[in-house]
Amino acid sequence: MPIYEYQCARCGNEFESFIWSAKDQERLACPRCGATDVRKLLSSFASRGSLSSVLSSGCGTGGFS
């Protein structure tokens, strides 16, 4: 189940929402003000570990030498 991040065009609130289907996307509304004019944000992925462990892994090599 994908989690997407959105921002409300009316009040600027940023929020997350589970989107199961296209119908969920159509009914999406800001939880703060109820506006339906929201835009999907570009979000980063989550990963376990510290930033230093990710950076020292070689990034482009997938951690393999």
Side-chain angles (χ1 to χ4, degrees), residues 28-51:
L28 189 62
C30 174
R32 181 183 291 165
C33 72
T36 56
D37 186 9
V38 298
R39 68 181 180 104
K40 191 182 293 185
L41 298 175
L42 182 62
S43 57
S44 60
F45 64 92
S47 123
R48 292 182 66 148
S50 67
L51 179 59

Side-chain angles (χ1 to χ4, degrees), residues 1-4 6 17-25 27:
M1 83 185 105
I3 301 172
Y4 294 103
Y6 294 90
S17 183
F18 293 108
I19 301 297
W20 293 82
S21 68
K23 289 187 181 219
D24 289 340
Q25 180 75 37
R27 294 186 294 240

